[in-house]
Every structure is written in C-alpha cells, then in structure tokens.
Coordinates of all heavy atoms in Angstrom, one line a residue:
M253 N 0.8 -1.2 0.0 CA 0.0 0.0 0.0 C 0.9 1.2 0.0 O 0.6 2.2 -0.7 CB -0.9 -0.1 1.2 CG -1.9 1.1 1.4 SD -1.2 2.7 1.9 CE -0.2 2.3 3.3
D254 N 1.9 1.2 0.8 CA 2.8 2.4 0.8 C 3.4 2.7 -0.6 O 3.5 3.9 -1.0 CB 3.9 2.2 1.8 CG 3.4 2.3 3.3 OD1 2.4 3.1 3.5 OD2 4.0 1.7 4.1
H255 N 3.7 1.6 -1.3 CA 4.3 1.8 -2.6 C 3.2 2.5 -3.6 O 3.5 3.4 -4.3 CB 4.7 0.5 -3.2 CG 5.3 0.5 -4.6 ND1 4.6 0.2 -5.7 CD2 6.5 0.9 -5.0 CE1 5.3 0.4 -6.8 NE2 6.5 0.8 -6.3
F256 N 2.0 2.0 -3.5 CA 0.9 2.6 -4.3 C 0.7 4.1 -3.9 O 0.6 4.9 -4.8 CB -0.4 1.8 -4.1 CG -1.6 2.2 -4.9 CD1 -1.4 2.9 -6.1 CD2 -2.8 1.8 -4.5 CE1 -2.5 3.3 -6.9 CE2 -3.9 2.2 -5.3 CZ -3.8 2.9 -6.4
A257 N 0.7 4.4 -2.7 CA 0.5 5.8 -2.2 C 1.6 6.6 -2.7 O 1.4 7.8 -3.2 CB 0.3 5.8 -0.7
D258 N 2.8 6.1 -2.6 CA 4.0 6.9 -3.0 C 4.0 7.2 -4.5 O 4.3 8.2 -5.0 CB 5.3 6.2 -2.7 CG 5.6 6.2 -1.2 OD1 5.0 7.0 -0.5 OD2 6.4 5.4 -0.7
R259 N 3.5 6.2 -5.3 CA 3.4 6.3 -6.7 C 2.4 7.4 -7.1 O 2.5 8.1 -8.0 CB 3.1 5.0 -7.4 CG 4.2 3.9 -7.3 CD 5.5 4.2 -8.0 NE 5.3 4.5 -9.4 CZ 5.5 3.7 -10.4 NH1 6.0 2.5 -10.1 NH2 5.3 4.1 -11.6
L260 N 1.3 7.4 -6.3 CA 0.2 8.4 -6.6 C 0.8 9.8 -6.3 O 0.5 10.7 -7.0 CB -1.0 8.1 -5.7 CG -1.9 6.9 -6.2 CD1 -2.9 6.6 -5.1 CD2 -2.6 7.3 -7.4
R261 N 1.5 9.9 -5.2 CA 2.0 11.2 -4.8 C 3.0 11.7 -5.9 O 3.1 12.9 -6.1 CB 2.7 11.2 -3.5 CG 1.8 11.0 -2.3 CD 2.5 11.0 -1.0 NE 1.5 10.7 0.1 CZ 1.4 9.5 0.7 NH1 2.2 8.5 0.3 NH2 0.5 9.4 1.6
A262 N 3.7 10.8 -6.5 CA 4.7 11.2 -7.5 C 4.1 11.3 -8.9 O 4.8 11.8 -9.8 CB 5.8 10.2 -7.5
A263 N 2.9 10.9 -9.1 CA 2.3 10.9 -10.4 C 2.0 12.3 -10.9 O 1.6 13.1 -10.1 CB 1.0 10.0 -10.4
P264 N 2.1 12.5 -12.2 CA 1.7 13.8 -12.7 C 0.2 14.0 -12.7 O -0.6 13.0 -12.6 CB 2.2 13.8 -14.2 CG 2.4 12.3 -14.5 CD 2.6 11.6 -13.2
Q265 N -0.2 15.2 -12.6 CA -1.6 15.5 -12.6 C -2.4 14.9 -13.7 O -3.5 14.4 -13.5 CB -1.8 17.1 -12.6 CG -3.3 17.5 -12.5 CD -3.5 19.0 -12.4 OE1 -2.5 19.7 -12.2 NE2 -4.7 19.4 -12.5
S266 N -1.8 14.8 -14.9 CA -2.5 14.2 -16.0 C -2.8 12.7 -15.7 O -3.9 12.2 -16.1 CB -1.7 14.3 -17.3 OG -0.4 13.7 -17.1
R267 N -1.9 12.0 -15.1 CA -2.2 10.6 -14.8 C -3.3 10.5 -13.7 O -4.1 9.6 -13.8 CB -0.9 9.9 -14.3 CG -1.2 8.5 -13.8 CD -0.4 7.4 -14.2 NE 0.2 7.5 -15.5 CZ 1.3 6.8 -15.8 NH1 2.0 6.1 -14.9 NH2 1.8 6.9 -17.0
L268 N -3.2 11.3 -12.8 CA -4.3 11.3 -11.7 C -5.7 11.6 -12.4 O -6.6 10.9 -12.1 CB -4.0 12.4 -10.6 CG -2.8 12.1 -9.8 CD1 -2.5 13.3 -8.9 CD2 -2.8 10.8 -9.0
Q269 N -5.7 12.5 -13.3 CA -7.0 12.9 -14.0 C -7.4 11.7 -14.9 O -8.6 11.6 -15.1 CB -6.8 14.1 -14.8 CG -6.7 15.4 -13.9 CD -6.3 16.6 -14.7 OE1 -5.5 16.6 -15.7 NE2 -6.9 17.7 -14.3
R270 N -6.5 11.0 -15.4 CA -6.9 9.9 -16.3 C -7.4 8.6 -15.6 O -7.7 7.6 -16.2 CB -5.8 9.5 -17.2 CG -5.5 10.4 -18.3 CD -4.5 9.9 -19.4 NE -3.3 9.3 -18.8 CZ -2.1 9.9 -18.7 NH1 -2.0 11.1 -19.2 NH2 -1.1 9.3 -18.2
G271 N -7.6 8.7 -14.3 CA -8.2 7.6 -13.6 C -7.5 7.1 -12.4 O -8.1 6.3 -11.6
A272 N -6.2 7.4 -12.2 CA -5.5 6.9 -11.1 C -6.1 7.4 -9.7 O -6.2 6.6 -8.8 CB -4.0 7.3 -11.1
A273 N -6.5 8.6 -9.7 CA -7.1 9.1 -8.4 C -8.4 8.5 -8.2 O -8.8 8.2 -7.0 CB -7.2 10.7 -8.5
T274 N -9.2 8.3 -9.2 CA -10.5 7.7 -9.1 C -10.4 6.3 -8.6 O -11.1 5.8 -7.7 CB -11.3 7.7 -10.4 OG1 -11.4 9.1 -10.8 CG2 -12.6 7.0 -10.3
E275 N -9.4 5.6 -9.1 CA -9.2 4.2 -8.6 C -8.7 4.2 -7.2 O -9.1 3.3 -6.4 CB -8.1 3.5 -9.5 CG -8.0 2.0 -9.3 CD -9.3 1.3 -9.5 OE1 -10.0 1.5 -10.5 OE2 -9.6 0.4 -8.6
A276 N -7.9 5.1 -6.8 CA -7.4 5.2 -5.4 C -8.6 5.5 -4.5 O -8.7 4.9 -3.4 CB -6.3 6.2 -5.3
L277 N -9.4 6.4 -4.9 CA -10.6 6.7 -4.0 C -11.5 5.5 -3.9 O -12.0 5.2 -2.8 CB -11.3 7.9 -4.6 CG -12.6 8.3 -3.8 CD1 -12.3 8.7 -2.4 CD2 -13.3 9.4 -4.5
R278 N -11.7 4.8 -5.0 CA -12.5 3.6 -4.9 C -12.0 2.6 -4.0 O -12.7 2.0 -3.2 CB -12.6 3.0 -6.3 CG -13.6 1.8 -6.5 CD -13.7 1.4 -7.9 NE -13.4 2.5 -8.7 CZ -13.5 2.6 -10.0 NH1 -14.0 1.6 -10.7 NH2 -13.1 3.7 -10.7
L279 N -10.6 2.4 -4.0 CA -10.0 1.5 -3.1 C -10.1 2.0 -1.6 O -10.5 1.2 -0.7 CB -8.5 1.4 -3.4 CG -7.6 0.6 -2.4 CD1 -8.1 -0.9 -2.3 CD2 -6.2 0.7 -2.8
A280 N -9.9 3.3 -1.4 CA -10.0 3.8 0.0 C -11.4 3.6 0.5 O -11.6 3.3 1.7 CB -9.6 5.3 -0.1
R281 N -12.4 3.8 -0.3 CA -13.8 3.7 0.1 C -14.1 2.2 0.5 O -14.7 1.9 1.5 CB -14.7 4.2 -0.9 CG -14.8 5.7 -1.0 CD -15.7 6.2 -2.1 NE -15.9 7.6 -2.0 CZ -16.5 8.4 -2.9 NH1 -16.9 7.8 -4.0 NH2 -16.6 9.7 -2.7
E282 N -13.6 1.3 -0.3 CA -13.8 -0.1 0.0 C -13.1 -0.6 1.2 O -13.6 -1.3 2.1 CB -13.4 -1.0 -1.2 CG -13.5 -2.5 -1.0 CD -14.9 -3.0 -0.6 OE1 -15.9 -2.3 -0.9 OE2 -15.0 -4.0 0.0
L283 N -11.8 -0.1 1.4 CA -11.1 -0.5 2.6 C -11.8 0.1 3.9 O -11.9 -0.6 4.9 CB -9.6 0.0 2.5 CG -8.8 -0.7 1.4 CD1 -7.4 0.0 1.3 CD2 -8.7 -2.2 1.6
A284 N -12.2 1.3 3.8 CA -12.9 2.0 4.9 C -14.2 1.3 5.2 O -14.6 1.1 6.4 CB -13.2 3.5 4.6
R285 N -14.9 0.9 4.2 CA -16.2 0.1 4.3 C -15.9 -1.2 5.1 O -16.6 -1.5 6.1 CB -16.9 -0.1 3.0 CG -18.2 -0.8 3.1 CD -18.7 -1.2 1.7 NE -18.0 -2.4 1.2 CZ -18.2 -3.6 1.7 NH1 -19.1 -3.9 2.6 NH2 -17.5 -4.6 1.2
Q286 N -14.9 -1.9 4.7 CA -14.6 -3.2 5.3 C -14.2 -3.0 6.8 O -14.6 -3.7 7.6 CB -13.5 -3.9 4.6 CG -13.9 -4.4 3.2 CD -12.7 -5.2 2.6 OE1 -11.7 -5.5 3.2 NE2 -12.9 -5.5 1.3
A287 N -13.4 -1.9 7.0 CA -13.0 -1.7 8.4 C -14.2 -1.3 9.3 O -14.3 -1.8 10.4 CB -12.0 -0.5 8.5
Q288 N -15.1 -0.5 8.8 CA -16.3 -0.2 9.6 C -17.2 -1.4 9.8 O -17.7 -1.5 10.9 CB -17.1 0.9 8.8 CG -16.4 2.2 8.8 CD -17.1 3.2 7.9 OE1 -18.3 3.5 8.2 NE2 -16.5 3.8 6.9
L289 N -17.3 -2.3 8.8 CA -18.1 -3.4 9.0 C -17.5 -4.4 10.0 O -18.2 -5.1 10.8 CB -18.4 -4.1 7.7 CG -19.4 -3.4 6.8 CD1 -19.4 -4.1 5.4 CD2 -20.7 -3.3 7.4
L290 N -16.2 -4.5 10.0 CA -15.5 -5.4 11.0 C -15.7 -4.8 12.4 O -15.8 -5.5 13.4 CB -14.0 -5.6 10.7 CG -13.8 -6.5 9.5 CD1 -12.3 -6.4 9.1 CD2 -14.1 -7.9 9.9
E291 N -15.6 -3.5 12.5 CA -15.7 -2.8 13.9 C -17.2 -2.9 14.4 O -17.4 -3.1 15.6 CB -15.3 -1.4 13.8 CG -13.8 -1.2 13.7 CD -13.4 0.3 13.7 OE1 -14.1 1.1 12.9 OE2 -12.5 0.7 14.4
D292 N -18.1 -2.7 13.5 CA -19.5 -2.7 13.9 C -20.4 -3.3 12.8 O -20.9 -2.6 12.0 CB -20.0 -1.2 14.2 CG -21.4 -1.2 14.6 OD1 -22.0 -2.2 15.0 OD2 -21.9 0.0 14.7
P293 N -20.5 -4.6 12.8 CA -21.2 -5.3 11.8 C -22.7 -4.9 11.6 O -23.3 -5.0 10.6 CB -21.2 -6.8 12.2 CG -20.0 -6.9 13.1 CD -19.9 -5.6 13.8
S294 N -23.3 -4.4 12.7 CA -24.7 -4.0 12.6 C -24.8 -2.5 12.2 O -25.9 -2.1 11.9 CB -25.4 -4.2 14.0 OG -24.8 -3.3 14.9
G295 N -23.7 -1.8 12.1 CA -23.8 -0.4 11.7 C -23.8 -0.2 10.2 O -23.5 -1.1 9.4
E296 N -24.2 1.0 9.8 CA -24.3 1.4 8.4 C -22.9 2.1 8.1 O -22.7 3.1 8.7 CB -25.4 2.3 8.1 CG -25.6 2.7 6.7 CD -25.9 1.6 5.8 OE1 -26.6 0.6 6.2 OE2 -25.5 1.6 4.6
P297 N -22.1 1.5 7.2 CA -20.8 2.2 6.9 C -21.0 3.5 6.2 O -22.0 3.7 5.4 CB -20.2 1.2 5.9 CG -20.9 0.0 5.9 CD -22.3 0.3 6.5
R298 N -20.2 4.5 6.6 CA -20.2 5.8 6.0 C -19.2 5.8 4.9 O -18.2 5.2 4.9 CB -19.8 6.9 7.1 CG -20.8 7.0 8.2 CD -20.2 7.8 9.4 NE -18.9 7.4 9.8 CZ -18.6 6.3 10.6 NH1 -19.6 5.5 11.0 NH2 -17.4 6.1 11.0
E299 N -19.6 6.5 3.8 CA -18.7 6.6 2.6 C -17.7 7.7 2.8 O -17.9 8.8 3.2 CB -19.5 6.9 1.4 CG -18.7 6.9 0.1 CD -19.5 7.0 -1.1 OE1 -19.9 8.2 -1.4 OE2 -19.7 6.0 -1.8
M300 N -16.4 7.3 2.5 CA -15.3 8.2 2.6 C -15.6 9.3 1.5 O -15.9 9.0 0.4 CB -14.0 7.5 2.3 CG -12.8 8.4 2.4 SD -11.3 7.6 2.2 CE -11.0 6.9 3.8
P301 N -15.5 10.6 1.9 CA -15.7 11.6 0.9 C -14.6 11.8 -0.1 O -13.5 11.3 0.1 CB -15.8 12.9 1.8 CG -14.9 12.6 3.0 CD -15.1 11.1 3.2
D302 N -14.9 12.4 -1.2 CA -13.9 12.6 -2.2 C -13.3 13.9 -1.9 O -13.9 15.0 -1.9 CB -14.6 12.8 -3.6 CG -13.6 13.0 -4.7 OD1 -12.5 13.3 -4.5 OD2 -14.1 12.9 -5.9
A303 N -12.0 13.9 -1.4 CA -11.3 15.0 -1.0 C -10.4 15.6 -2.1 O -9.6 16.5 -1.9 CB -10.4 14.7 0.2
G304 N -10.6 15.1 -3.3 CA -9.8 15.6 -4.5 C -8.7 14.7 -4.8 O -8.2 13.9 -4.0
M305 N -8.3 14.8 -6.1 CA -7.3 13.9 -6.6 C -5.9 14.0 -5.9 O -5.2 13.0 -5.8 CB -7.1 14.1 -8.1 CG -6.4 15.3 -8.5 SD -6.3 15.3 -10.3 CE -6.6 17.0 -10.6
F306 N -5.6 15.1 -5.4 CA -4.3 15.2 -4.7 C -4.3 14.6 -3.3 O -3.3 14.4 -2.7 CB -3.8 16.6 -4.7 CG -3.6 17.2 -6.0 CD1 -4.4 18.2 -6.5 CD2 -2.6 16.7 -6.9 CE1 -4.3 18.7 -7.8 CE2 -2.4 17.2 -8.2 CZ -3.3 18.2 -8.6
A307 N -5.5 14.3 -2.8 CA -5.6 13.6 -1.5 C -5.8 12.1 -1.5 O -5.8 11.5 -0.5 CB -6.8 14.2 -0.7
A308 N -5.9 11.6 -2.8 CA -6.1 10.2 -2.9 C -5.1 9.3 -2.2 O -5.5 8.3 -1.6 CB -6.2 9.8 -4.4
A309 N -3.9 9.6 -2.3 CA -2.8 8.8 -1.7 C -3.0 8.8 -0.2 O -2.9 7.7 0.5 CB -1.4 9.3 -2.1
D310 N -3.3 9.9 0.4 CA -3.5 10.0 1.8 C -4.8 9.2 2.2 O -4.8 8.6 3.3 CB -3.6 11.4 2.3 CG -2.3 12.2 2.1 OD1 -1.2 11.5 2.2 OD2 -2.3 13.4 1.9
Q311 N -5.8 9.3 1.4 CA -7.0 8.6 1.7 C -6.8 7.0 1.8 O -7.3 6.4 2.6 CB -8.1 8.9 0.8 CG -8.6 10.3 1.0 CD -9.8 10.7 0.1 OE1 -9.6 10.9 -1.1 NE2 -11.0 10.8 0.7
I312 N -6.0 6.5 0.8 CA -5.8 5.1 0.9 C -4.9 4.7 2.1 O -5.1 3.7 2.7 CB -5.3 4.4 -0.4 CG1 -3.9 5.0 -0.8 CG2 -6.3 4.5 -1.5 CD1 -3.3 4.3 -2.0
T313 N -4.0 5.6 2.4 CA -3.1 5.3 3.5 C -3.9 5.3 4.8 O -3.8 4.3 5.6 CB -2.0 6.4 3.6 OG1 -1.3 6.4 2.4 CG2 -1.1 6.2 4.8
V314 N -4.8 6.2 5.0 CA -5.6 6.2 6.2 C -6.5 5.0 6.3 O -6.6 4.3 7.3 CB -6.5 7.5 6.3 CG1 -7.6 7.4 7.3 CG2 -5.6 8.7 6.6
A315 N -7.2 4.7 5.1 CA -8.1 3.6 5.1 C -7.5 2.3 5.4 O -8.0 1.4 6.1 CB -8.8 3.6 3.7
V316 N -6.3 2.0 4.8 CA -5.6 0.7 5.0 C -5.1 0.6 6.4 O -5.2 -0.5 7.0 CB -4.6 0.5 3.9 CG1 -3.2 1.1 4.2 CG2 -4.3 -1.0 3.7
H317 N -4.7 1.7 7.0 CA -4.2 1.6 8.4 C -5.4 1.4 9.3 O -5.2 0.6 10.3 CB -3.4 2.9 8.8 CG -2.1 2.9 8.2 ND1 -1.0 2.2 8.8 CD2 -1.6 3.5 7.1 CE1 0.1 2.4 8.0 NE2 -0.2 3.2 7.0
D318 N -6.5 2.0 9.1 CA -7.7 1.7 9.9 C -8.1 0.3 9.7 O -8.5 -0.4 10.7 CB -8.9 2.6 9.4 CG -8.7 4.1 9.9 OD1 -7.8 4.4 10.7 OD2 -9.5 4.9 9.4
L319 N -8.1 -0.3 8.5 CA -8.4 -1.7 8.3 C -7.5 -2.6 9.0 O -7.9 -3.6 9.7 CB -8.5 -2.0 6.8 CG -8.9 -3.4 6.4 CD1 -10.3 -3.8 7.0 CD2 -8.8 -3.6 4.9
A320 N -6.2 -2.3 9.0 CA -5.2 -3.1 9.6 C -5.4 -3.3 11.1 O -5.1 -4.3 11.7 CB -3.8 -2.6 9.3
L321 N -6.0 -2.3 11.7 CA -6.2 -2.3 13.1 C -7.3 -3.3 13.5 O -7.3 -3.7 14.7 CB -6.6 -0.9 13.7 CG -5.4 0.1 13.6 CD1 -6.0 1.5 14.0 CD2 -4.3 -0.3 14.6
V322 N -8.2 -3.6 12.6 CA -9.3 -4.5 12.9 C -9.3 -5.8 12.3 O -10.2 -6.7 12.6 CB -10.7 -3.8 12.6 CG1 -10.8 -2.5 13.5 CG2 -10.8 -3.4 11.2
L323 N -8.3 -6.1 11.4 CA -8.2 -7.4 10.8 C -7.9 -8.5 11.9 O -7.2 -8.2 12.8 CB -7.2 -7.4 9.7 CG -7.4 -6.6 8.5 CD1 -6.3 -6.6 7.5 CD2 -8.7 -7.0 7.8
T324 N -8.6 -9.6 11.7 CA -8.4 -10.6 12.8 C -7.7 -11.9 12.3 O -7.3 -12.7 13.1 CB -9.8 -11.0 13.3 OG1 -10.6 -11.5 12.2 CG2 -10.5 -9.9 14.0
D325 N -7.5 -12.1 11.0 CA -6.8 -13.3 10.6 C -6.0 -13.0 9.3 O -6.2 -12.0 8.6 CB -7.8 -14.5 10.4 CG -8.8 -14.3 9.3 OD1 -8.4 -14.0 8.2 OD2 -10.0 -14.4 9.6
E326 N -5.2 -14.0 9.0 CA -4.3 -13.9 7.8 C -5.0 -13.8 6.5 O -4.6 -13.1 5.6 CB -3.3 -15.1 7.8 CG -2.3 -15.1 6.7 CD -1.0 -14.5 7.2 OE1 -0.8 -14.4 8.4 OE2 -0.2 -14.2 6.4
G327 N -6.2 -14.5 6.4 CA -7.0 -14.5 5.2 C -7.5 -13.1 4.9 O -7.5 -12.7 3.7
Q328 N -7.9 -12.3 5.9 CA -8.3 -11.0 5.7 C -7.2 -10.1 5.3 O -7.4 -9.2 4.4 CB -8.9 -10.4 7.0 CG -10.2 -11.1 7.4 CD -10.7 -10.6 8.8 OE1 -9.9 -10.3 9.7 NE2 -12.0 -10.6 9.0
V329 N -6.0 -10.3 5.8 CA -4.8 -9.5 5.4 C -4.5 -9.8 3.9 O -4.3 -8.9 3.1 CB -3.6 -9.9 6.2 CG1 -2.3 -9.2 5.7 CG2 -3.8 -9.5 7.7
D330 N -4.6 -11.1 3.5 CA -4.3 -11.5 2.1 C -5.3 -10.8 1.2 O -5.0 -10.3 0.1 CB -4.3 -13.0 2.0 CG -3.2 -13.7 2.6 OD1 -2.2 -13.0 2.9 OD2 -3.3 -14.9 2.9
E331 N -6.6 -10.8 1.6 CA -7.6 -10.2 0.8 C -7.4 -8.7 0.6 O -7.5 -8.1 -0.5 CB -9.0 -10.4 1.4 CG -10.1 -9.9 0.6 CD -11.5 -10.1 1.3 OE1 -11.7 -11.1 1.9 OE2 -12.3 -9.2 1.1
A332 N -7.0 -8.0 1.7 CA -6.7 -6.6 1.6 C -5.5 -6.3 0.7 O -5.6 -5.4 -0.1 CB -6.5 -6.0 3.0
V333 N -4.5 -7.1 0.8 CA -3.3 -6.9 0.0 C -3.7 -7.1 -1.5 O -3.3 -6.3 -2.4 CB -2.2 -7.9 0.4 CG1 -1.1 -8.0 -0.7 CG2 -1.6 -7.5 1.7
Q334 N -4.5 -8.1 -1.8 CA -4.9 -8.3 -3.2 C -5.7 -7.2 -3.7 O -5.5 -6.7 -4.9 CB -5.8 -9.6 -3.2 CG -6.2 -10.0 -4.7 CD -6.9 -11.3 -4.7 OE1 -7.1 -12.0 -3.7 NE2 -7.4 -11.6 -5.9
L335 N -6.6 -6.6 -2.9 CA -7.4 -5.4 -3.3 C -6.5 -4.3 -3.7 O -6.7 -3.6 -4.7 CB -8.3 -5.0 -2.2 CG -9.6 -5.8 -2.0 CD1 -10.3 -5.3 -0.7 CD2 -10.5 -5.7 -3.2
V336 N -5.4 -4.0 -2.9 CA -4.5 -2.9 -3.1 C -3.7 -3.2 -4.4 O -3.6 -2.3 -5.3 CB -3.5 -2.7 -1.9 CG1 -2.4 -1.8 -2.3 CG2 -4.3 -2.3 -0.7
E337 N -3.2 -4.4 -4.6 CA -2.4 -4.8 -5.8 C -3.3 -4.6 -7.1 O -2.8 -4.1 -8.1 CB -1.9 -6.2 -5.7 CG -0.8 -6.3 -4.7 CD -0.4 -7.8 -4.4 OE1 -1.0 -8.7 -4.9 OE2 0.7 -7.9 -3.8
E338 N -4.5 -5.1 -7.0 CA -5.4 -4.9 -8.2 C -5.7 -3.5 -8.5 O -5.7 -3.1 -9.7 CB -6.7 -5.7 -8.0 CG -6.5 -7.2 -7.9 CD -7.7 -8.0 -7.5 OE1 -8.7 -7.4 -7.1 OE2 -7.6 -9.3 -7.5
A339 N -5.9 -2.7 -7.5 CA -6.2 -1.3 -7.7 C -5.0 -0.5 -8.3 O -5.2 0.3 -9.2 CB -6.7 -0.6 -6.4
Q340 N -3.8 -0.9 -7.8 CA -2.6 -0.3 -8.3 C -2.5 -0.6 -9.8 O -2.1 0.3 -10.6 CB -1.4 -0.7 -7.5 CG -0.1 0.0 -8.0 CD 1.1 -0.2 -7.2 OE1 1.0 -1.0 -6.2 NE2 2.2 0.4 -7.5
K341 N -2.7 -1.8 -10.2 CA -2.6 -2.2 -11.6 C -3.7 -1.4 -12.4 O -3.3 -0.9 -13.5 CB -2.9 -3.7 -11.8 CG -1.7 -4.5 -11.3 CD -2.0 -6.0 -11.5 CE -1.0 -6.8 -10.8 NZ -1.3 -8.3 -10.8
R342 N -4.9 -1.3 -12.0 CA -5.9 -0.6 -12.7 C -5.6 0.9 -12.8 O -5.9 1.6 -13.8 CB -7.3 -0.8 -12.0 CG -7.9 -2.1 -12.3 CD -9.3 -2.2 -11.8 NE -9.6 -1.9 -10.4 CZ -9.5 -2.7 -9.4 NH1 -9.3 -4.0 -9.7 NH2 -9.7 -2.4 -8.2
A343 N -4.9 1.4 -11.7 CA -4.6 2.9 -11.7 C -3.4 3.2 -12.7 O -3.2 4.3 -13.1 CB -4.2 3.3 -10.3
G344 N -2.6 2.2 -13.0 CA -1.5 2.4 -13.9 C -0.3 3.2 -13.3 O 0.4 3.8 -14.0
V345 N -0.2 3.0 -12.0 CA 1.0 3.7 -11.4 C 1.9 2.8 -10.7 O 1.5 1.7 -10.4 CB 0.5 4.9 -10.4 CG1 -0.1 6.0 -11.1 CG2 -0.3 4.3 -9.3

C-alpha cells in the first residue's frame, strides 16, 4: 500500500486525472467500508468523501491503516493486499 500511495504522490496531474485518483478513491472507500463493518457489523458504513485527486494517496493510507487495526486473521490480510495490488494495476501507477 505504501508503494501505491508513493506512486500516486509522484504521479503527474494528467495521470491522476486519467483515472489513477478515481481508482485510489474507490480502493480507499472499499477499505474503509470493510474496516467499519468489522468494527460494527450492525452499523451502516459511512462513505469516505472525495477530498480531491491530490488527497487520494493519503485517503488510501488512512483507510488501509484503519483496516489493519481491525483485521483478525491472515486471510483478511491477504484479501486486503490483493485489493491494493489490483487497484494499483488498474490505476497504472
């Protein structure tokens, strides 16, 4: 995840506009949703707001760290890592 976030921070604005930032926000929202559901399965997850393309790297960093605090087994960790890897490929960074 840190590699993905670093690549986003270093990406030119044109790459962010072509979809990298959108993909990062989609990932951040999914990771945040998973973290909220693990913390409170009966609660309604709140959607992470769109803070703009230049905040996308920070949003995935926050979301993945929040998720890491509530993961309970290796399978969940593997699933989160896979989500990050797939998002990075789709983002093209």
Side-chain angles (χ1 to χ4, degrees):
M253 180 286 311
D254 288 331
H255 181 260
F256 184 20
D258 289 343
R259 297 294 304 259
L260 286 168
R261 288 183 187 100
Q265 182 174 348
S266 60
R267 171 136 326 156
L268 295 173
Q269 289 173 322
R270 285 194 308 262
T274 300
E275 189 59 47
L277 178 60
R278 188 175 335 190
L279 173 65
R281 285 177 170 168
E282 176 58 23
L283 296 173
R285 185 189 72 76
Q286 288 182 16
Q288 291 174 59
L289 289 173
L290 286 169
E291 285 182 313
D292 182 10
S294 64
E296 181 67 30
R298 296 167 310 281
E299 183 174 78
M300 181 175 281
D302 183 346
M305 71 178 139
F306 298 113
D310 295 330
Q311 287 183 291
I312 62 170
T313 300
V314 167
V316 82
H317 284 280
D318 286 350
L319 180 60
L321 291 173
V322 296
L323 294 177
T324 58
D325 66 55
E326 186 94 13
Q328 291 172 330
V329 172
D330 292 341
E331 182 181 326
V333 168
Q334 184 177 357
L335 284 174
V336 172
E337 289 173 348
E338 290 169 357
Q340 184 173 0
K341 287 178 189 172
R342 287 190 302 272
V345 293

